[in-house]
Amino acid sequence: SAIEPGGTFSIASGAADVPDPGALPPARRARDTVDQRLLSLSYGLAVPGLLELRLGAHANRHARSATGFDGLEGRTVENDWLLNASLVLSASDRLNLFASYVTGLEESGIAPSAARNRGEVLPPVKAEQVEVGATYRLGGDLTLILAAFDISKPTFGLRPDNLFGSSGTVRHRGVEGSIVGEIVPGTRIVLGANWVDPALSTGGAERTAPGVSRFNAIVGFEQRLTNRLSIDGDLYFEGVRRRDAVSDVEIAGVPFLTLGARYALTAG
């Protein structure tokens, strides 16, 4: 990062008075380093045709150091436990019920220059997710999946005291469903959608969290033409989302279409 006055020029004449690039000061460099270490203990239990249980505990050490473009240095070390658990019950030959719980870390970044604690390396936040659902085999290779989820984590922002730090909690609750599998030999489909309620709680007030689409859907296929050649495509719709947490202004939904082909070959 280097800042240098660009000089003056006239749009009418097109002449520009700019400094010689060779005279510019050397660019400053920033460095950001993360060192994460995990010591894990896991346990699995399977009873064929009845249940499958998995448990995990992970002692985590997360260290992060950063040097900004302005030369400010910061470091943080976080020691924590991360947990995960999942259970699958076979209710019948076609129906499975499942539940899961997991915690994980997300980076919080570095306090921006506008904050009083600019350059401070912020500790990672712990995200928590709970999910329950069911899978039902419709027939052949076709499966229906339904689930409800609840994901929450602390959020960081610029507080009234002009410090950049923990300012609230963001929580995403929703439901999702999909049908996946082979409808006829050689043709595989994916049909899915989810609805999300993104809530941002700050200072005792709850608003709609920005940047999160409340409805998403996908229609996809893969068609095998020969043993080596197949074509595929996805039509994905990302729904409307709030522009920011203060106003009701929304960004319109956007569709995405991807088409592709795959050819398998053997060399050697």
Side-chain angles (χ1 to χ4, degrees), residues 6-253:
T8 60
F9 66 94
S10 166
I11 296 179
S13 65
D17 178 20
V18 297
D20 179 9
L24 294 177
R28 297 188 180 100
R29 295 185 179 273
R31 183 174 180 84
D32 195 337
T33 304
V34 174
D35 179 13
Q36 185 173 6
R37 305 178 186 184
L38 288 168
L39 181 63
S40 300
L41 178 67
S42 59
Y43 173 77
L45 171 66
V47 180
L50 182 59
L51 64 85
E52 183 176 334
L53 173 68
R54 294 185 181 275
L55 304 172
H58 317 276
N60 176 73
R61 180 185 183 275
H62 181 281
R64 183 179 183 183
S65 60
T67 302
F69 290 116
D70 51 8
L72 289 176
E73 297 182 359
R75 178 176 170 83
T76 183
V77 178
E78 190 82 5
N79 295 293
D80 211 340
W81 283 89
L82 304 177
L83 307 173
N84 68 276
S86 64
L87 175 66
V88 179
L89 295 175
S90 298
S92 69
D93 292 339
R94 291 176 175 266
L95 178 64
N96 286 334
L97 308 176
F98 64 86
S100 68
Y101 170 82
V102 63
T103 58
L105 294 183
E106 287 192 13
E107 295 288 351
S108 303
I110 299 173
S113 57
R116 282 201 294 131
N117 59 333
R118 67 189 183 97
E120 178 184 351
V121 178
L122 304 173
V125 299
K126 181 186 287 188
E128 184 179 63
Q129 175 177 311
V130 179
E131 186 175 22
V132 294
T135 65
Y136 185 78
R137 187 165 55 84
L138 299 173
D141 188 46
L142 212 56
T143 301
L144 170 67
I145 306 171
L146 297 174
F149 56 88
D150 187 332
I151 308 169
S152 60
K153 66 175 182 178
T155 185
F156 281 66
L158 196 61
R159 303 194 304 232
D161 57 4
N162 206 34
L163 289 175
F164 193 87
S166 180
S167 59
T169 303
V170 62
R171 186 177 186 184
H172 297 168
R173 288 173 289 185
V175 293
E176 57 186 346
S178 61
I179 296 177
V180 182
E182 206 171 46
I183 51 175
V184 295
T187 304
R188 185 175 181 83
I189 64 165
V190 176
L191 307 175
N194 65 36
W195 176 85
V196 184
D197 175 26
L200 176 65
S201 300
T202 56
E206 185 170 298
R207 305 182 180 93
T208 300
V212 180
S213 297
R214 294 187 292 277
F215 176 78
N216 302 280
I218 186 171
V219 178
F221 78 94
E222 181 179 355
Q223 178 65 53
R224 190 171 67 247
L225 302 178
T226 69
N227 289 336
R228 294 178 178 268
L229 177 63
S230 63
I231 58 174
D232 57 79
D234 291 300
L235 177 60
Y236 177 70
F237 177 74
E238 191 177 79
V240 297
R241 57 195 184 276
R242 287 288 174 89
R243 187 189 65 182
D244 54 65
V246 180
S247 70
D248 293 334
V249 177
E250 294 186 331
I251 299 173

